[in-house]
Amino acid sequence: MATMTLNDYLQRVQGSLYHQNGEVLSDLISFRDPHVMSSRLMVEKPERDVERCVDPSIAEVIAGHLRAVWAIAERNRVEAWRIQMVVVQAISRFMTECKEENWMLPVMYTACLDLRLFALGADEDLTKTGAKKPGETLEKAAEALMSCFRVCAADTRTGEDCTKRWGLLYLVNQFFKIYFKINKLNLCKPMIRAIEALSFKDRFSLSQLITYKYYTGRKDMFDSDFKSADATLSFAFQRCHRRSRKNKRRILIYLIPVKMLRGYLPKTSLLERYNLGELSGIVGAGRTGNVRQLSETLVKHEAFFISAGIYLILEKLKVLAFRNLFKKVYLLSGTHQIDVALFVQSLSWMQVEDVDVEETECILANMINDGRIKGYLSHAHCKLVVSKKDAFPPLTASFC
Amino acid sequence: MKTDHQDISKHIIGTCLGMCPNAELRMRQRERLLHPLERSIDPRGGTGRAEPRAMVKEFSRSAAGHHIKPSDVRPLPILIKTTKYLLTNVCCREDTSWALIYQFVFDRLRAIRQDLCVQDIREAGLGVLQAAVRFYVYAQYRTCEHDLCDFDPYLNMKHLAETLSLVITLYQESANEKNAVESRNICGREDISSFVQCDICDKSSDESSYSDDSESDDVNESKITQDAVASEKTNNASKGAPESEGSGTDTTRNEERGERWDCDEGSGSSQASSNDLCKNTNTATMMESGGVDEEQETQQEREEQQRREREKDKEEQQRREREKDKEEQQRREREKDKEEEQQKREKKREKLRCEMLKYSPREEAEALNLLVNFGQAEAIMHVLKLPREIRESRLVWTALQMNLAWVNNNYYRVLCLAPLLPPLCLVAFYYHLTAVQRRALSILSCGHSSRGGLMYSGEDLVASLRFPSITTLFDACTHYGLNTTHTGVIFTKASFNHEAPLMKTTRVGWIDERLTSVSLGDLLLPQSQDLLKWLAG
């Protein structure tokens, strides 16, 4: 394979085209296939040779691919990215020509994946020199992917077995990866709408579904829709294969804070199994109501939390810790009319900076408003009056 | 490098050396298309003569295919000069209405921004752009009470957001150029490889290694309740103690009295015992209508009893007074402690406020970004990813703390920190003040809602929620459906009207005062910053 001649390669391409074999053809333009190591395929100007042997409908794609192989061999990721953009657009034109068929979808998948990966590489190279703003290559890649998206989405008149709409989920997943990387989450919305409108949205392959759920779950988190995020991320985690540890860990990084906000704490064995030591400090602090430990852990593993994008949610967990702390104060006080000064005292022991009676009342009022405490505050008497039964309803019951 | 033809056309270098290109000067003068602020002031009140030196290039949309002439474009030094003129000269004019000034400066700034864009001036133009941001922020406050015809808040905000986001991007770019490596700490490299895997894996097993921890939570719950039950028991036991203490003292007092009896009258104890005997035999004696001696004895006993009771009462009174004094003392001490703490807090805040008066241009831009986009997760995440020195500078740190507090609906902390901000940042935050107050009122209406209809002191609310006066507080409360009395507010959960629109922002005395502490020119173009020698840091 690694010593394939040009002729050999082109014959194979032609053959797979003739037999409408999408899998084989997709391998032939994939950068994860060993053929890209063959020096005989690293051709800078392959157009003439390609046009001679290969069908004109796909000639542009193949020529582009060979040129990209050459560019990668020259270690020019930026040029490879540019060429791959052309390849992807050529593929979308090819797909438009082939009506009522969807055997070539794997080809589209491979080309789009390679485009995204090249765009990432080109981005690195270009930002290092300061020539471009970071993320620009990815934005342009997204535009190219849009052309494929439009072709697939427009294929509404064909039957379910040969419609190109089956390619939509893969594309949407690629879009998600790009938009999350360049931090433009609002652009995900039309994508999600397109998928939800499909009648066969539950019959895609499991791996694609899991990826989809992972990203929509993260988007829900960003929109503070924690109930939906919980359902979506749980699906992704449970259906993800046991051996895909890295992926499962990735999902857990987001699932655990969401679950915690809804009142469910993970077992330490789970955290150990997936190497999530950073979260164990948070979990422990939340469980016991140790606000100080929570703040300290947030500072200690700041870089990790910020890069994963969960810092803000973990800040929200402070409310959980306050609730557990206040519940202890309530139980210690033994009465159902508790002096707010006691709460202030507990907070200052937890080294919460500068907190006074007013701020404590504010925190308590918030808890009552969220349904985490049943009762009311009397500002004039400076007391919290709680309900005699079930003053601190279980966390899983209240909304977040 | 990109060699598209588009790039070449962007790199025009302007050659216009005046605030207004000559062609435009001539055309507008000829067609009498001058803005009032470009005319000299006519003492007779009519339209003054054209003042060519006061003319500034106006904004016009670049038409498609229209070739831009270098003589119509102003180079950077002229743009800086024009900005200075607009913000320190025009804005500070006292003789015309602010609405007119705003309209003029807004338009001319737009033209300046356009010139910057056309010449592809990036970081070098930061000074001008940040000055424009300051103008938009200030205008937002100053013109908030004007009619729509004078001031369109939506349009102002749009330009503010655009310019501010450009400023932030430019700072980031210039920082990137300095240290390319640092900016890449952000992306998780696992991203790429781990998800290529996901494309390949296609498994359908239903393994769930996750355990939703309702069980362990229950275990914890039961543990807590066990602890609670245990502690309640000890509590009750300790509650019992005071009573026993009381009885203890009683017995000692009895003993005391017994002793006194012994001192006063030798036969005290015998009296006591005979007393008891008398109690038992009294009835018998009464029925027997006992003799005179016995009557005398009973009278003596009665007097003794009365005397004992009086003594007892006096003791009780003294005891109560002692307790009251102790309580008073404790209360005074607590108040003194509270005052001391209050003073300490005030001092700390004052220190923070003074520290925040010194900041670098980049810190100001980042802080403004956090305050203009108050509460938005994107802005917060952006700041969290900034290098430590900027993130921890006093100004940015405070703006960040305000945002983080707001994420948890801690309106109190937000409103505590807000007044400490320097004037321009304060004005940037002020735009969101009504929203913060509204949510605060809705949370209070739930948290302080009781069946008894307890009243929350109006004065306290005014102080903590930063209303300018009690009347404005009551206006807001009525607007949101809350009941008010003479001196306070009665919060009831059901009465807060969530459908009521947000109250309009108005100018407010204490902010106006803060603004007057700095001259407008200084506010918009701080003297300490030389626009020409601009760059990050």
Side-chain angles (χ1 to χ4, degrees), chain A residues 179-194:
Chain A
Y179 293 149
F180 270 77
K181 185 82 202 284
I182 58 176
N183 209 5
K184 289 222 168 115
L185 274 73
N186 51 315
L187 294 173
C188 296
K189 211 153 147 208
M191 302 284 141
I192 299 177
R193 248 185 284 142

Side-chain angles (χ1 to χ4, degrees), chain A residues 104-160:
Chain A
M104 79 297 285
L105 283 180
V107 179
M108 180 189 79
Y109 296 164
T110 317
C112 292
L113 175 61
D114 282 326
L115 174 58
R116 188 175 63 84
L117 295 176
F118 288 163
L120 283 169
D123 196 43
E124 269 182 43
D125 288 346
L126 287 174
T127 28
K128 238 191 286 187
T129 57
K132 288 258 171 257
K133 277 172 21 180
E136 231 182 84
T137 56
L138 287 162
E139 283 186 39
K140 296 247 164 72
E143 284 171 29
L145 290 181
M146 259 309 183
S147 58
C148 290
F149 184 84
R150 274 187 224 114
V151 173
C152 294
D155 200 23
T156 45
R157 298 254 179 86
T158 46
E160 228 181 67

Side-chain angles (χ1 to χ4, degrees), chain A residues 133 206-207 238 241 247 259 265 273 287 302 315-316 353 356 358-359 366 369 376-377 379, chain B residues 173 194 198 201 203 207 209 213 220 345 388 391 408-410 412-413 443 446-447 449 456 460:
Chain A
K133 277 172 21 180
L206 189 63
S207 66
Q238 283 162 2
H241 192 266
N247 288 345
K259 280 266 188 213
L265 293 171
R273 195 184 328 170
R287 185 179 277 139
E302 200 172 56
E315 273 279 339
K316 290 197 181 162
E353 254 187 74
D356 59 358
E358 298 260 11
E359 190 167 350
N366 265 302
N369 193 36
Y376 64 89
L377 279 160
H379 177 74
Chain B
E173 272 182 26
S194 57
C198 196
C201 83
K203 309 297 176 263
E207 201 257 340
S209 55
D213 246 36
N220 280 336
R345 226 173 279 137
R388 202 163 267 257
R391 197 181 358 139
N408 280 330
N409 280 329
N410 188 342
Y412 185 74
R413 191 166 275 244
I443 293 172
C446 194
S449 154
Y456 198 122
D460 288 350

Side-chain angles (χ1 to χ4, degrees), chain A residues 31 67-77 80 118:
Chain A
F31 277 82
R67 204 171 132 68
V69 171
W70 164 79
I72 287 289
E74 299 279 305
R75 296 189 185 282
N76 188 346
R77 293 195 285 187
F118 288 163

Side-chain angles (χ1 to χ4, degrees), chain B residues 172 175-187 362 385-391:
Chain B
Q172 206 154 24
N176 279 352
E177 278 182 19
K178 284 188 180 167
N179 1 9
V181 181
E182 189 172 18
S183 66
R184 242 161 297 135
N185 285 341
I186 306 164
C187 43
R362 181 165 191 194
K385 292 177 186 168
L386 287 176
R388 202 163 267 257
E389 322 84 63
I390 302 175
R391 197 181 358 139

Side-chain angles (χ1 to χ4, degrees), chain A residues 226 260-263 316-317 319-324 327 363-375 386 390-400:
Chain A
F226 297 117
M260 279 180 75
L261 267 183
R262 306 198 73 219
K316 290 197 181 162
L317 285 178
V319 183
L320 203 95
F322 282 143
R323 179 259 184 203
N324 284 341
K327 183 169 179 178
I363 300 176
L364 286 166
N366 265 302
M367 285 204 211
I368 300 175
N369 193 36
D370 288 337
R372 298 189 198 274
I373 299 183
K374 285 212 184 113
V386 295
D390 206 19
F392 283 76
L395 282 167
T396 53
S398 58
F399 59 90
C400 46

